Structures are given as C-alpha cells and as structure tokens.
C-alpha cells in the first residue's frame, strides 16, 4: 500500500498530527497496534486522574471541556475516540508496526505481512510505551506478585500481604495512596519532594495558568532555564510530586524505605542491605524508548531520537512526536503536543517536492 504520510501511533501525538495533516489536505494514514485509540493511556490504572486540569487537556480544534477538574483515564480515552471520529481521521487499528526502512527517497513501513510505502513517517508512539524494570526483578521469588505500573489496574490484582512500590515519583505515590487503603505499603526510592501548593484546590486554580505559561514559554530549548531543566529531565532526575503530599502518604500508613538495589534468595534488598519481606511488588520505575525496530542508515535508534523540534536529525521525511521535553517542558502532555505537531506538519508540507516519488506498490 502507498501513502504520502504514515503516522505510527493513535494516541494524543498521532491524533494531533492527523488533525494538522487533514487541515492542510495532506493524504495520510494512522497505524496503531491496539484495538482502540488512546496510546499509552490504555495501559494505565483504572482510577488514574490526569495531572493537568481539563482546561489544558485539549487537542487542536476540539475543547475537552470541564473547567478546572482533573479528568479520569476513561474520560480522556472517550475524548480521544470522539476526536478521531469528529475529524474523520483515517485510523487503522490492530496494525502492529515492526519495521521501518529506507526505500529510495522514502520509507517502507512493515507490519507483519503488510508493507506500506510512504514519503514521510511520523513516529508518534510517545514517551511511555515500554516498561523499564530492573534486571534483578527476574530473581524475585515466584510467590511474589509482580506488576509494572503499566499493568497495574486496581488493588484486586494483589494478594494479601505487604506491597512494595519501587519508585517514589508521581506514579508510585498515586498508586501507593490507592493501595494503602487495603494493604500495608512500603515505598522505596528517593523522596523527590512535592509542589508546595494544593493543585486540587483554589491554590492550583489560581497558579496553574502561570505554571503552564512557564512550561510553554520559559522552559523551552531556546532558553537557558529550559535547556537546564531538559538536561536534568533526560538524566532521569525525579519530578516533584504534583498532586500527592507527604501527609497524603502518611494518612494511609505508607512507610518510606531506601531504594531497592537487588534481590537475595528471592527477597528484595535495599541499598542499606535490609531484606524486605513482601507479598507484592509494583514497579513504578518508568519507561524507556521503543525505537529498536527502526532500521535506518545513520540513525541511532537505541534511545531518544535526536531531532530539531521533532524533525529527526539527518533523516529527511522522518519525524517524532511526544518525546519528553521534545521542545518545551510540556511537549509530551495532551495539551502541549499540539504545538509540536503543528511545527512538524508545517515542515513536512514545506519539504514536499513538486514531483511525485517513484514508490512501487508492495
């Protein structure tokens, strides 16, 4: 099959790209392996509420609505489905892309036995796709229930007994507060601190517009403060807890312990040498890039793709969207990705040659 542009991923980044492509009359298709649009939001726990309020959770062209509330995971997924339908975006679900190769001046995208020839490719698989779990996890006793945050849905998946949550960032804190209502919880990891304002109340409502403006205009690649924060983010420095406070953790009896450094005789061990007797482990250890299937000459696909605001370096016609701090602090958020998508599609439209590529049907 032959397309002018193939977008890989039907989450917020892919749908934003689709909107701007459609507005410019560019022919394209969006491919996704799932059976529902939504990207990484499909792999989040049931009770998840967004960390940004609804007033900043809109994709280009369609308001989310809801004012200063924090939408649930299901509300967001419903919005994304309506968005794809409203703008009649050509989404093909159940297509698992497994390869990307050069084909003349364009690309060949493979998905099992299917092959797609295209002039442009937009990688919109997002920043939160492949769970990152330490190698020593495989040494844990088989009696311990293990879940990554991508697989955790609710406390009903856990067996009776203590729950160890590894990773004390936002996901670890949010899941810990939920699980702490039914289980004893140990939270392992560095105390990253928390925002000194209550985001869920009047303080958040008053200050969030300023916070968003700083994210969008000060913390960018063009400005020194932005480059500093970007470097720290890419080095894996933990972000402040956005919604939970230390008092919220204490209220459900969460106990903080040192980070987990390994496993001894099937039992987790802290960096202090203490063995931790637990029945369950939830790995809130983040995600890693998933570009190993991209096979292009001169491209290092082992991690974050080097790009200029989404235009992949040295690869004309290849674009990426949804990377953490791609251009600004909130590039990977639902309310921020639209700006990068607009930039990428403008570049794509500008570089389209007057003549047609000689792409042969597969």
């Amino acid at each position: 099959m032959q397309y002018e542009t193939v977008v890989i991923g039907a989450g917020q980044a892919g749908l934003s790209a689709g909107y701007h492509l459609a507005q410019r009359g560019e022919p394209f298709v969006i491919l996704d392996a799932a059976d529902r649009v939504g990207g990484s939001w499909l792999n989040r726990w049931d009770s998840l509420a967004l960390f940004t309020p609804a007033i900043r959770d809109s994709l280009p062209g369609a308001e989310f609505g809801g004012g200063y509330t924090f939408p649930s995971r299901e509300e967001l997924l419903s919005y994304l489905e309506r968005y794809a339908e409203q703008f009649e975006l050509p989404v093909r679900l159940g297509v698992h892309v497994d390869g990307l190769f050069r084909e003349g001046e364009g690309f060949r995208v493979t998905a099992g036995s299917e092959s797609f020839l295209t002039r442009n490719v937009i990688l919109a698989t997002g920043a939160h796709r492949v769970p990152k779990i330490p190698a020593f996890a495989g040494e844990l006793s088989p009696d311990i229930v293990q879940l990554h945050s991508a697989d955790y849905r609710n406390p009903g998946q856990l067996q009776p007994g203590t729950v160890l949550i590894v990773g004390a960032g936002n996901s670890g804190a949010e899941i810990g507060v939920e699980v702490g209502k039914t289980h004893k919880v140990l939270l392992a990891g560095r105390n990253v601190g928390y925002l000194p304002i209550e985001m869920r109340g009047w303080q958040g409502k008053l200050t969030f517009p300023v916070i968003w403006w700083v994210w969008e205009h000060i913390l960018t690649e063009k400005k020194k403060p932005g480059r500093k924060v970007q470097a720290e983010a890419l080095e894996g420095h933990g972000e402040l807890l956005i919604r939970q406070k230390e008092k919220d953790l204490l209220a459900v009896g969460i106990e903080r312990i040192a980070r987990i450094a390994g496993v001894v005789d099937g039992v987790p061990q802290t960096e202090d040498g203490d063995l931790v007797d637990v029945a369950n482990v939830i790995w809130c250890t983040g995600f890693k890039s998933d570009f190993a299937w991209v096979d292009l000459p001169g491209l290092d696909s082992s991690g974050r793709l080097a790009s200029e605001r989404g235009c992949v370096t040295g690869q004309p016609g290849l674009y990426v969207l949804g990377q953490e701090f791609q251009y600004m602090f909130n590039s990977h958020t639902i309310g921020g990705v639209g700006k990068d998508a607009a930039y990428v599609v403008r570049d794509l439209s500008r570089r389209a040659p007057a003549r047609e590529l000689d792409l042969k049907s597969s």
Side-chain angles (χ1 to χ4, degrees), residues 39-358:
S40 60
W41 296 106
L42 296 169
N43 302 316
R44 296 295 179 267
W45 59 97
D46 296 342
S47 65
L48 172 70
L50 272 65
F51 293 110
T52 51
I55 54 171
R56 293 296 182 183
D57 293 333
S58 299
L59 294 183
E63 289 295 317
F64 188 97
Y68 196 81
T69 60
F70 294 85
S72 69
R73 165 184 173 270
E74 195 56 43
E75 287 172 333
L76 177 61
L77 287 171
S78 296
Y79 166 75
L80 295 177
E81 287 182 326
R82 292 195 305 273
Y83 188 87
E85 293 171 1
Q86 177 181 343
F87 296 108
E88 299 179 335
L89 302 181
V91 178
R92 282 195 56 189
L93 298 173
V95 180
H96 181 79
V97 173
D98 53 25
L100 173 59
F101 311 92
R102 274 290 174 187
E103 185 84 10
E105 296 178 48
F107 302 91
R108 178 183 294 273
V109 178
T110 60
S113 60
E114 285 194 273
S115 188
F116 306 84
L117 295 175
T118 181
R119 187 194 309 279
N120 309 294
V121 173
I122 300 177
L123 301 171
T125 52
H128 303 126
R129 300 294 290 186
V130 179
K132 184 167 58 178
I133 301 175
F136 58 71
E139 302 172 25
L140 284 175
S141 166
D143 295 331
I144 296 176
V145 170
Q146 290 191 65
L147 296 168
H148 188 272
S149 61
D151 304 307
Y152 170 78
R153 295 293 176 267
N154 56 65
Q157 295 169 284
L158 306 172
Q159 61 186 345
T162 301
V163 178
L164 170 65
I165 296 181
V166 182
N170 279 290
S171 294
E174 296 274 331
I175 292 174
V177 167
E178 176 176 76
V179 173
K181 297 171 184 176
T182 57
H183 294 70
K184 176 177 175 56
V185 173
L186 304 177
L187 182 61
R190 183 172 63 90
N191 188 336
V192 297
Y194 55 86
L195 283 179
I197 60 173
E198 176 52 73
M199 289 298 295
R200 293 164 287 195
W202 66 268
Q203 291 177 322
K205 189 173 184 178
L206 199 63
T207 59
F208 189 79
V210 177
I211 293 172
W212 187 268
W213 186 87
V214 170
W215 287 353
E216 202 166 43
H217 298 284
I218 303 300
L219 299 184
T220 73
E221 282 188 338
K222 285 187 176 181
K223 294 185 169 62
K224 186 175 180 179
R227 292 192 293 272
K228 181 177 184 295
V229 172
Q230 183 189 52
E232 292 175 350
L234 298 183
E235 288 173 6
H237 294 189
E239 297 178 359
L240 295 175
L241 298 185
I242 295 173
R243 191 158 42 217
Q244 303 299 342
K245 306 288 187 286
E246 198 67 22
K247 64 180 177 63
D248 299 316
L249 308 186
L250 293 173
V252 294
I254 293 176
E255 178 185 341
R256 285 187 178 273
I257 63 173
R259 62 183 290 272
I260 301 300
V263 174
V264 175
D265 296 329
V267 179
Q269 183 181 44
T270 71
E271 61 185 357
D272 296 335
D274 298 326
L275 296 180
V276 188
D277 184 19
V278 297
N280 310 271
V281 174
I282 302 177
W283 300 103
C284 294
T285 42
F287 299 80
K288 58 186 177 182
S289 299
D290 180 27
F291 296 118
W293 49 275
V294 177
D295 185 11
L296 298 176
L299 179 70
D300 179 5
S301 59
S302 61
R304 178 185 174 92
L305 298 183
S307 74
E308 182 178 345
R309 200 166 178 178
C311 308
V312 178
T313 305
Q315 299 290 335
L318 181 64
Y319 302 90
V320 64
L321 284 174
Q323 293 193 127
E324 287 188 298
F325 212 133
Q326 180 164 303
Y327 170 70
M328 53 192 180
F329 183 83
N330 54 342
S331 279
H332 67 292
T333 68
I334 187 166
V337 71
K339 275 197 168 184
D340 288 336
Y343 184 93
V344 158
V345 172
R346 281 198 301 271
D347 185 85
L348 182 153
S349 297
R350 280 197 301 266
R351 64 172 297 277
R355 65 180 180 81
E356 289 297 317
L357 272 181
D358 182 21

